[in-house]
Structures are given as structure tokens and as C-alpha cells.
């Protein structure tokens, strides 16, 4: 059996799901009859597990009352939450077919590349089972029973429930638009969930909450930019959809950055070391292993379109680092160990280093040849 996936190369991850340069020593076309099509088509190098000392678990246990008071308020009650049906034609209404036709007419005005990014965003959102699984590997904050009443577990499930609506809404919109090949998209989702993702967080909530702070801010920016572009092309209803999802991501960003801010207050040395560790490993996309059954370079090609359209760029990534380093006042930390001070210096210098890559990344995206994606009906 032959295994396919994005080819190995040193590249710049520009979309919110794959935000900066990282070198993979992956493999392609591996023959192994013992492996099935869900085996990732890249080697996973960062599978260290349970790196957090046991005494640090107690810090998260001691934060439960804080989490209940400060974290859970960022989840909206279900009865006050929007649902995908609020934005889509109602199948039980007399004007359903007319509403669908109007949606399809508006969709005709959007360029193919826009639908590449929108489809990629939706596919990544639909791989939500992988992300909840990752949350439930974290030492000290996992949902131990599947229905635990620990504030950390309630947050994990509530966050997942809110995020689940994003994929549902974009999936239904794309289906109704008639602009995409839904079967190819559905295959891509199945591949992606089956392959999973290594977030390089080592079951360590210090690392993972830093990761989610970056990811939520990045997705807020990305969905905000897809909203802006939809409005530019005259589809105000799609702009409203993307803007509503962006607002959710912003609320989640606030929650995750609050957790990290609290960790800096309680345990600054460990937290700044975790931040430097994640920055050295690079923040990689949850959908790094995206594959549609045809394109070995799907990941690379998708990232180039996102950069070219300005949906999420190297500039955005640098600004995200700058914003969060400022938000957490990393430069002002005192009382650190020698190792902590070195980590602090590395992190504070990083945005300037990333910015030097911006022009090169945009130039590379502009020169990239036009690629036909299996998701799009050309």
C-alpha cells in the first residue's frame, strides 16, 4: 500500500494553523503493508510525553477555584448562543429554494482561491475530535471521566462544544454554495482526523495553553480576514458568518491568554521556559497532516494561497508573538533563574527575527504557480 502526504521541505507556515518555519525529515510513498491510510505521511519527531514534574500538577489543582470564577464565564450559555441554522436557509420554510439560489448567486462572485482558504479553514475546524483528545491528554487538567465536574474539564468540553458550531456552519454553507466538491472535502476531513496531530506539548498544560493562546488569536485574525474579503466581493451574509466565528475565537483567545497570564503570576520561571520551548519548536498547525488522497503538497499549496490572499501571513505571525509577549509582560519579568532570563531574552528578540522573513514569504507566495485544488469546482 502506498502512503501519501505533504512533501518534506523547510518552509514558512503562514496560515494560522501552520504559523512559522520548521524543518521536517518526513517520508513519502512509504511501502508498508502493516500500515493503513490513517498512518501519518510525515514522521513525528516530538513525541516526548509527561514532561511536567508531579509537583507542577498541584499548581493546576490549586487553580481550580480561580478557573471556575475566571475561566468559565467566557463560555456562553447554550440558550444564548448562536447556532448554524441562524445563518442558513431553513429547509422547512416555503422560501428555502429561493434562499439557496440567492446564496449560490452571491457565491459565484467569490474567486476560487477564496474558497480554497474557506474550505481549508472548515476542514481544520471539522477535525475537532483531535483537539479535544489533545486537551484530555494534559496532566493536571484533563477530563478524567468524560463527564468530570472539575472546572478544567467543564472548560474543555464547553470550548469543544462552542468550536463544534464553526465547522458545522462552514460545512453547510460550502455544501449549499455549489462551489466545492464536498466528497473531496469529506475525504480530506476523514484523512485528517484519522492521522491526528502532534502538538509538541508533551501532555504539559504550560505548553498547551501557550499553544492555544497563539492559535485562538491566529484564527480570530484569519476568520476576520475571510469576513473582510467576503464583504469586499459583495457577500455580506458570508462576511457575517465569518465575523461571527471570529468573535468566538476572540473570546476563546481572551480565556486562554488569561490562563497563561495567571501562570506567569504564580510560576514565572516555568512559564517563560515553556514559552521559549514552544517558540523554538514552532507553533504548527493542527491540520499539518492535511491530505485529500491526491495532492502530496496540499499543506504547502494551501499555505501559499493563504499568504497570497492576506488571510494569514508571516507579518500576522510576528505581530501575534509581539502582542502576546506584551500582553504577558514577558520583558518585565523579574526574579527569574539564569535559564529563565535566557528564555526571556530569546522570546523578546523573536518578533524582530520573524519580521525579517515577511518580505521573503510574500515574494515566494506571489511567485508560486497556480495550483488546482481537488476541493474546488473549477
Amino acid at each position: 500500500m502506498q502512503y501519501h502526504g505533504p512533501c518534506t521541505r523547510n518552509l514558512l507556515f503562514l496560515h494560522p494553523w501552520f504559523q512559522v518555519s520548521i524543518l521536517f525529515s518526513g517520508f513519502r510513498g512509504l511501502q508498508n503493508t502493516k500500515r493503513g491510510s490513517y498512518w501519518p505521511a510525515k514522521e513525528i519527531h516530538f513525541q516526548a510525553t509527561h514532561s511536567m514534574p508531579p509537583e507542577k500538577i498541584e499548581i493546576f489543582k490549586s487553580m481550580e477555584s480561580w478557573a471556575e470564577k475566571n475561566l468559565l464565564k467566557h463560555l456562553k450559555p447554550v440558550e444564548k448562543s448562536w447556532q448554524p441554522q441562524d445563518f442558513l436557509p431553513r429547509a422547512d420554510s416555503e422560501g428555502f429554494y429561493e434562499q439557496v439560489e440567492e446564496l449560490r448567486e452571491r457565491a459565484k462572485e467569490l474567486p476560487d482561491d477564496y474558497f480554497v482558504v474557506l474550505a481549508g479553514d472548515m476542514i481544520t475546524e471539522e477535525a475537532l475530535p483531535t483537539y479535544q483528545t489533545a486537551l484530555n491528554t494534559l496532566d493536571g487538567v484533563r477530563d478524567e471521566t468524560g463527564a468530570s465536574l472539575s472546572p478544567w474539564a467543564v472548560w474543555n468540553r464547553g470550548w469543544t462544544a462552542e468550536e463544534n458550531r464553526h465547522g458545522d456552519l462552514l460545512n453547510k454553507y460550502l455544501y449549499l454554495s455549489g462551489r466545492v466538491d464536498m466528497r473531496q472535502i469529506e475525504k480530506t476531513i476523514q484523512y485528517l482526523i484519522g492521522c491526528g496531530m502532534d502538538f509538541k506539548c508533551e501532555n504539559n498544560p504550560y505548553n498547551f495553553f501557550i499553544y492555544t493562546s497563539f492559535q485562538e488569536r491566529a484564527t480570530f485574525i484569519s476568520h476576520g480576514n475571510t469576513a473582510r474579503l467576503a464583504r469586499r466581493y459583495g457577500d455580506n451574509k458570508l462576511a457575517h458568518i465569518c465575523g461571527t466565528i471570529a468573535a468566538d475565537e476572540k473570546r476563546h483567545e481572551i480565556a486562554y491568554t488569561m490562563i497563561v497570564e495567571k501562570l506567569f503570576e504564580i510560576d514565572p520561571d516555568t512559564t517563560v521556559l515553556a514559552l521559549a520551548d514552544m517558540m523554538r519548536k514552532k507553533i504548527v498547525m493542527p491540520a499539518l497532516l492535511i491530505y485529500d488522497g491526491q495532492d502530496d503538497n496540499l499543506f504547502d499549496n494551501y499555505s501559499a494561497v493563504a499568504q497570497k490572499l492576506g488571510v494569514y501571513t508571516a507579518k500576522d505571525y510576528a505581530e501575534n508573538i509581539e502582542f502576546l509577549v506584551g500582553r504577558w509582560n514577558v520583558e518585565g519579568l523579574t526574579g527569574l533563574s539564569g535559564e529563565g532570563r535566557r528564555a526571556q531574552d530569546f522570546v523578546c528578540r523573536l518578533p524582530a527575527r520573524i519580521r525579517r522573513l515577511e518580505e521573503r514569504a510574500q515574494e515566494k507566495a506571489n511567485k508560486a504557480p497556480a495550483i488546482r485544488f481537488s476541493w474546488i469546482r473549477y
Side-chain angles (χ1 to χ4, degrees):
M1 183 178 291
Q2 190 172 20
Y3 297 86
H4 300 276
C7 71
T8 301
R9 64 180 62 184
N10 187 24
L11 45 80
L12 192 67
F13 297 171
L14 302 170
H15 190 270
W17 306 112
F18 39 90
Q19 298 163 10
V20 77
S21 172
I22 184 169
L23 182 63
F24 280 92
S25 301
F27 56 86
R28 217 178 143 180
L30 176 65
Q31 299 289 334
N32 186 334
T33 57
K34 293 183 180 179
R35 292 177 177 176
S37 59
Y38 295 126
W39 195 272
K42 286 181 182 288
E43 286 185 85
I44 302 297
H45 294 292
F46 303 102
Q47 294 243 346
T49 58
H50 305 291
S51 64
M52 189 169 69
E55 62 269 19
K56 297 299 181 182
I57 293 177
E58 294 306 313
I59 289 178
F60 289 91
K61 297 295 184 185
S62 72
M63 287 175 63
E64 286 189 353
S65 59
W66 176 89
E68 184 171 4
K69 180 180 178 181
N70 296 281
L71 189 59
L72 299 187
K73 67 183 181 182
H74 292 285
L75 296 173
K76 283 192 173 182
V78 175
E79 296 303 326
K80 295 183 178 180
S81 295
W82 63 265
Q83 299 299 333
Q85 183 59 81
D86 299 336
F87 301 88
L88 299 166
R90 292 186 62 93
D92 59 353
S93 69
E94 290 185 3
F96 173 71
Y97 294 105
E98 290 79 6
Q99 292 172 47
V100 171
E101 188 57 36
E102 289 174 10
L103 184 154
R104 290 165 70 95
E105 286 300 315
R106 293 193 303 271
K108 289 178 181 177
E109 301 303 314
L110 296 162
D112 293 333
D113 279 356
Y114 181 88
F115 276 96
V116 169
V117 175
L118 197 65
D121 285 356
M122 181 274 277
I123 291 163
T124 310
E125 296 275 8
E126 290 281 59
L128 191 60
T130 298
Y131 319 143
Q132 187 176 31
T133 298
L135 282 166
N136 283 331
T137 68
L138 301 179
D139 295 329
V141 299
R142 68 171 62 91
D143 185 346
E144 297 284 0
T145 67
S148 168
L149 296 181
S150 143
W152 295 115
V154 172
W155 167 262
N156 292 348
R157 294 194 303 270
W159 173 86
T160 301
E162 291 193 346
E163 289 280 331
N164 185 65
R165 301 168 305 152
H166 302 170
D168 282 352
L169 176 53
L170 293 176
N171 191 314
K172 291 170 183 173
Y173 168 83
L174 287 169
Y175 169 73
L176 292 173
S177 76
R179 289 290 304 274
V180 297
D181 184 332
M182 285 304 299
R183 192 171 194 281
Q184 277 300 116
I185 285 175
E186 289 158 357
K187 279 174 54 180
T188 308
I189 294 168
Q190 186 176 356
Y191 272 115
L192 184 54
I193 295 174
C195 287
M197 176 61 199
D198 180 9
F199 296 88
K200 300 178 293 185
C201 295
E202 303 173 4
N203 313 104
N204 186 325
Y206 286 89
N207 288 22
F208 200 87
F209 291 143
I210 287 165
Y211 178 91
T212 51
S213 296
F214 276 82
Q215 283 298 134
E216 295 293 337
R217 181 164 180 79
T219 50
F220 157 67
I221 291 169
S222 175
H223 287 297
N225 283 332
T226 56
R228 174 181 55 80
L229 288 171
R231 192 172 293 109
R232 179 188 298 173
Y233 292 118
D235 194 335
N236 290 329
K237 290 193 175 182
L238 178 57
H240 185 40
I241 287 173
C242 296
T244 300
I245 294 172
D248 265 10
E249 304 289 10
K250 182 63 177 177
R251 181 161 44 84
H252 296 160
E253 174 209 327
I254 291 169
Y256 282 118
T257 56
M258 281 181 58
I259 297 172
V260 178
E261 182 179 39
K262 186 66 174 176
L263 290 172
F264 270 116
E265 178 186 322
I266 295 172
D267 190 5
D269 211 63
T270 304
T271 308
V272 76
L273 289 171
L275 177 59
D277 180 47
M278 292 306 295
M279 293 297 96
R280 288 190 177 99
K281 291 175 179 175
K282 315 301 190 294
I283 303 292
V284 297
M285 74 178 238
L288 177 64
L289 304 176
I290 197 168
Y291 179 57
D292 61 352
Q294 298 181 15
D295 185 358
D296 287 343
N297 300 312
L298 183 57
F299 175 79
D300 300 23
N301 295 332
Y302 168 43
S303 66
V305 174
Q307 170 75 23
K308 190 172 183 179
L309 287 183
V311 169
Y312 196 85
T313 67
K315 180 175 184 290
D316 292 320
Y317 179 70
E319 288 178 352
N320 273 1
I321 298 174
E322 204 165 46
F323 174 85
L324 290 172
V325 166
R327 170 76 173 78
W328 295 325
N329 191 28
V330 176
E331 191 171 0
L333 294 175
T334 58
L336 300 174
S337 66
E339 190 179 6
R341 289 194 299 274
R342 288 190 290 275
Q344 178 187 39
D345 183 64
F346 167 75
V347 169
C348 291
R349 292 173 181 268
L350 192 57
R353 293 172 57 189
I354 298 295
R355 285 186 185 283
R356 290 197 288 270
L357 299 173
E358 292 173 19
E359 186 176 340
R360 191 188 316 165
Q362 189 62 49
E363 183 180 348
K364 181 179 177 181
N366 290 339
K367 291 180 177 178
I371 300 293
R372 293 176 72 86
F373 290 78
S374 70
W375 305 332
I376 308 301
R377 294 193 182 281
Y378 292 96

